[in-house]
Amino acid sequence: MEPRRIVALIVAAGSGTRLGGELPKQFAALAGKPMLAHSFAAFSSHPMISETIVAIGAGQEAMLADAVGDARSVTGGATRRESVRAGLEAIAADGGADLVLIHDAARPFLSAEVIDRLIAALDTDPGTVPALPVADTLARGIEVLGETVPRDGLWRVQTPQAFHFDAILDAHRRWPEGEDATDDAQMLRRFGSSVAMVEGDIMLDKVTYPADIAAAEARHAATLISRSAVGYDVHRLEVGEELWLGGVLIPHDKGLSGHSDADVALHAITDALLGCTGEGDIGTHFPPSDPQWKGAASYKFLQHAASIITAKGGVIDFVDLTLICEAPKIGPHRAAMRAKIAELLALGEDQVSIKATTTERLGFTGRGEGIAAQACATVRLPVAGRPA
Ligand code: CTP
Ligand code: MG
């Protein structure tokens, strides 16, 4: 049997009027990346999703590329319904799909479990939505409190909403122009199809008003645990070598020798970052026996370690480095190294600290035979089993 083609459609063509801010909310930073990038990553990394397509506003292609890299996009419409329609027509023009999951970019924290539940429910129903029971007292009222609305049997309906592709495309095509719809599931129901409910997720609550940003950040933060790890490295100083420290070329009568460019500072930070993952060290990830790393610029090691953390849905909070040497003096180069390390790790300079010390002319560092570096990294990583 052919594998089913399951396409995700993220609608991100709104203007975010109720939230305000300089950028439409789906492109504004939330929990370390553009809001849209969170759910895009959730779909893209899910093994059953064949393609993720994004409906964006006219002229927002560059913003989309900045947020998620290469992605199939389509220009949305004046209402959410029209944006979904544009996306569905684009999928149809590409040859259609078996199933489609339609999702709001404004609901950033989508877990693989929710995607699994929705896809499973489509075995028996043409449509399905994630929903949570209403917990708060509900009441009507204009300025003063009116009557309570019984909440039995009331649900908060979220997205992604998942459908048999032909069924939801048909509902959109038959929908009367000029009439608006609150969501796609209601459109399917209008034409007599049943829509199943699966368990929703509080993480999927929509970001609509300014106060929702802090709540979303807090929900996300609760899924991460902090870890710190140290790294240590030494390289020999020799005449005739370049001196790379912290990604900066420093004029000096000697340089560090080693398998790579021997940037002892970046190696210590790389080991500290790898230590936070618990998955080995610089030698495990970049074996000296592998010729591709010979003479390699050490920023590649550093950025690879950082990418391991971000691929796990983690964030780097802080990096602290101590260089141990008699010469060169680190002070004059501290600002350049700090800026470089911050740039390499996509951090603010206030998240990078550089310190230096001598060993009072004692030992190999005291005799100028080598430079040692110690680093400590602090990162936050998703709690096991709870994807961001
Ligand atoms: N959306 C869309 N096209 C539109 C309107 C909305 O693709 N013409 C998308 C939004 O980008 C969002 C989702 O639909 O991901 C839910 O809409 P909402 O939360 O209302 O977002 P906005 O319309 O952008 O916000 P506002 O209503 O406050 O302007
Ligand atoms: Mg809107």
Side-chain angles (χ1 to χ4, degrees):
M1 207 172 81
E2 285 275 299
R4 286 181 302 175
R5 182 167 162 77
I6 307 181
V7 175
L9 166 61
I10 305 179
V11 283
S15 46
T17 348
R18 285 171 290 178
L19 187 78
E22 275 170 32
L23 293 172
K25 62 186 176 186
Q26 58 274 26
F27 295 109
L30 182 80
K33 48 187 175 183
M35 190 186 297
L36 166 64
H38 292 281
S39 58
F40 187 89
F43 283 128
S44 308
S45 62
H46 194 283
M48 293 174 81
I49 304 290
S50 320
E51 188 181 16
T52 303
I53 154 166
V54 190
I56 51 173
Q60 293 180 340
E61 287 78 10
M63 271 202 290
L64 177 67
D66 276 353
V68 305
D70 245 357
R72 170 100 165 86
S73 69
V74 61
T75 304
T79 63
R80 183 188 182 282
R81 179 180 63 79
E82 289 168 278
S83 295
V84 173
R85 172 77 186 271
L88 295 175
E89 294 294 351
I91 297 166
D94 287 350
D98 296 298
L99 309 179
V100 63
L101 282 76
I102 304 173
H103 184 56
D104 293 337
R107 302 178 190 270
F109 305 126
L110 169 60
S111 72
E113 287 81 357
V114 169
I115 297 175
D116 291 341
R117 287 202 279 277
L118 290 165
I119 292 175
L122 291 181
D123 285 347
T124 46
D125 290 87
T128 178
V129 297
L132 289 175
V134 172
D136 294 320
T137 294
L138 289 180
R140 290 185 212 285
I142 301 169
E143 292 189 2
V144 293
L145 185 68
E147 73 202 290
T148 299
V149 179
R151 60 171 182 257
D152 298 348
L154 289 188
W155 296 84
R156 299 199 289 124
V157 177
Q158 303 175 314
T159 78
Q161 300 189 348
F163 305 96
H164 293 179
F165 179 74
D166 292 340
I168 193 65
L169 178 66
D170 183 59
H172 269 264
R173 285 181 175 170
R174 288 166 65 190
W175 191 259
E177 261 323 307
E179 185 180 335
D180 215 8
T182 52
D183 67 0
D184 305 288
Q186 290 299 345
M187 296 174 66
L188 190 69
R189 281 190 69 249
R190 172 81 69 95
F191 299 110
S193 290
S194 67
V195 175
M197 289 196 291
V198 299
E199 186 190 346
D201 186 346
I202 194 169
M203 295 295 290
L204 278 172
D205 282 353
K206 189 156 73 75
V207 176
T208 308
Y209 297 102
D212 298 338
I213 292 280
E217 292 272 7
R219 280 199 303 276
H220 180 255
T223 69
L224 301 175
I225 50 161
S226 187
R227 281 191 184 174
S228 297
V230 296
Y232 177 76
D233 195 29
V234 171
H235 280 278
R236 186 184 294 275
L237 275 169
E238 277 176 10
V239 176
E241 297 277 358
E242 289 183 333
L243 179 57
W244 286 92
L245 275 183
V248 174
L249 183 60
I250 292 179
H252 192 53
D253 58 351
K254 291 181 191 167
L256 292 171
S257 79
H259 180 67
S260 63
D261 67 7
D263 188 326
V264 72
L266 295 192
H267 292 184
I269 299 172
T270 302
D271 251 359
L273 291 172
L274 292 173
C276 291
T277 71
E279 291 173 13
D281 58 21
I282 202 164
T284 324
H285 290 267
F286 312 99
S289 54
D290 186 341
Q292 72 164 308
W293 305 117
K294 180 155 175 57
S298 296
Y299 73 84
K300 292 185 181 163
F301 304 154
L302 181 73
Q303 290 192 315
H304 179 75
S307 73
I308 291 176
I309 288 165
T310 41
K312 289 177 184 292
V315 286
I316 301 170
D317 282 326
F318 198 74
V319 165
D320 179 49
L321 171 75
T322 302
L323 283 162
I324 306 158
C325 60
E326 220 67 41
K329 290 292 164 219
I330 299 302
H333 308 288
R334 187 197 305 262
M337 283 188 215
R338 188 183 195 202
K340 186 71 193 176
I341 293 166
E343 180 201 323
L344 290 169
L345 293 174
L347 297 177
E349 288 186 29
D350 60 344
Q351 293 172 285
V352 177
S353 147
I354 296 182
K355 317 193 301 303
T357 186
T358 69
T359 46
E360 298 288 331
R361 298 183 186 276
L362 294 169
F364 70 87
T365 50
R367 292 188 297 273
E369 293 164 10
I371 298 181
Q374 268 179 347
C376 177
T378 304
V379 311
R380 279 172 300 145
L381 287 165
V383 177
R386 169 84 258 196

